[in-house]
Amino acid sequence: MTMSDVLPDGVERRQFDGTERLATRGEPVYGEPTDGEWRAWNPTRSKLGAMLDLEMDTGLEGDETVLYLGAASGTTVSHVADFAGPTYAVEFAPRPARDLLETAESRPRLFPLLKDARKPDTYAHVVESNVDVIVQDVATRGQARVALENAQFLADDGRLLLAVKARSEDVTRDPAAVFEDVQEALEDGYDILETQRLEDYHTDHLGIVARPR
C-alpha cells in the first residue's frame, strides 16, 4: 500500500515552505499555512491528522457522513468537513462551541451541536442514523463508554476513529495499562482493526480504528 492509498479524496500531501504536509481545501481556521485554496493540516494540533500522517488505515475515502465527538473550536473537524459529506460536530463547552460556529459559517456541510457526547440521546433527533464514521476526541473519563453509547449512530460497516487520552482516564496510571483497559472495554461493541501510539505528535495518546460488532 502506498502512502497516498490511505488518504481520503480531498486530502493530499503538499509542499508548504519546502516541507511536505497533509492539506485540505478550505478557509483557514487556526493560522495554518496556505497555498492557494489548500491549507496545511497540522498533526500536532489534530489527533486524526496524526493518525493519517502515521499512515493508519482509517478507512476514510472522502464524502462520508461523519459524527465528530469532541469538536472543540473546530481545528480538526474543519479539515474533516473540507473532504467529507455531512459532518455533525458535538461540543459541550460553550466557549469553543462559539469558535466552532464561526468555523462552520464557510462550511455548509458542518453542523455544530452544543451537546454532551456522553448523552447521545440529546442529539439523536438531529444526527442521521447509519453515519459512516465516528471520530472521537473527548478529554473525559470513560472514553470507551462514550464510543459504545454513540455506536447507535454508526452504520454496520462504519468505522470508529478514536483518540484515547490516557491522562483523561487516570493521570496516575501507566498509559499502556490505561490503553489496554480502554481497548478491552471497547470490545463490548467493536472489533479493533488497528492501534498506534500517537507519541510523535501527542503525548500519552493512542489512535484506534475499529468497526461495530
Side-chain angles (χ1 to χ4, degrees):
M1 179 177 282
T2 64
M3 201 178 279
S4 59
D5 284 341
V6 297
L7 294 179
D9 287 346
V11 182
E12 293 184 6
R13 292 182 187 269
R14 299 179 71 87
Q15 294 285 330
F16 293 87
D17 305 321
T19 307
E20 191 179 74
R21 302 174 65 174
L22 291 176
T24 61
R25 282 187 292 247
E27 292 285 320
V29 169
Y30 53 100
E32 66 277 25
T34 57
D35 177 16
E37 59 184 355
W38 291 88
R39 62 192 186 107
W41 187 348
N42 186 345
T44 64
R45 295 189 58 174
S46 167
K47 317 310 185 312
L48 181 60
M51 290 168 75
L52 287 168
D53 211 41
L54 292 166
E55 299 175 45
M56 291 184 72
D57 187 2
T58 62
L60 289 168
E61 295 176 356
D63 213 27
E64 291 90 356
T65 302
V66 177
L67 173 59
Y68 194 108
L69 305 174
S73 56
T75 298
T76 298
V77 78
S78 67
H79 286 289
V80 173
D82 285 348
F83 69 84
T87 303
Y88 300 94
V90 176
E91 176 50 47
F92 181 57
R95 177 69 193 88
R98 283 203 295 274
D99 294 335
L100 181 61
L101 284 168
E102 207 171 293
T103 300
E105 282 174 12
S106 64
R107 291 177 171 81
R109 293 175 301 204
L110 179 54
F111 303 102
L113 300 170
L114 182 58
K115 300 288 183 183
D116 186 342
R118 294 170 298 185
K119 298 175 181 172
D121 291 351
T122 62
Y123 47 87
H125 62 293
V126 180
V127 177
E128 301 174 33
S129 54
N130 294 327
V131 303
D132 301 306
V133 181
I134 292 176
V135 181
Q136 181 179 320
D137 179 16
V138 294
T140 182
R141 276 179 185 245
Q143 291 165 82
R145 176 169 292 283
V146 171
L148 290 165
E149 290 185 354
N150 281 275
Q152 61 180 290
F153 300 113
L154 201 52
D156 290 345
D157 60 349
R159 287 287 181 275
L160 169 71
L161 307 178
L162 170 62
V164 182
K165 184 177 185 179
R167 290 173 186 171
S168 293
E169 291 290 343
D170 189 337
V171 78
T172 64
R173 290 182 67 212
D174 175 50
V178 172
F179 297 147
E180 208 171 291
D181 285 354
V182 170
Q183 289 178 73
E184 199 175 303
L186 265 185
E187 284 169 355
D188 282 350
Y190 290 94
D191 289 320
I192 294 172
L193 304 177
E194 185 181 1
T195 65
Q196 196 167 327
R197 293 285 288 257
L198 306 182
E199 228 59 42
D200 290 359
Y201 304 107
H202 301 278
T203 305
D204 298 338
H205 280 75
L206 181 74
I208 297 178
V209 180
R211 66 179 171 215
R213 287 203 154 155

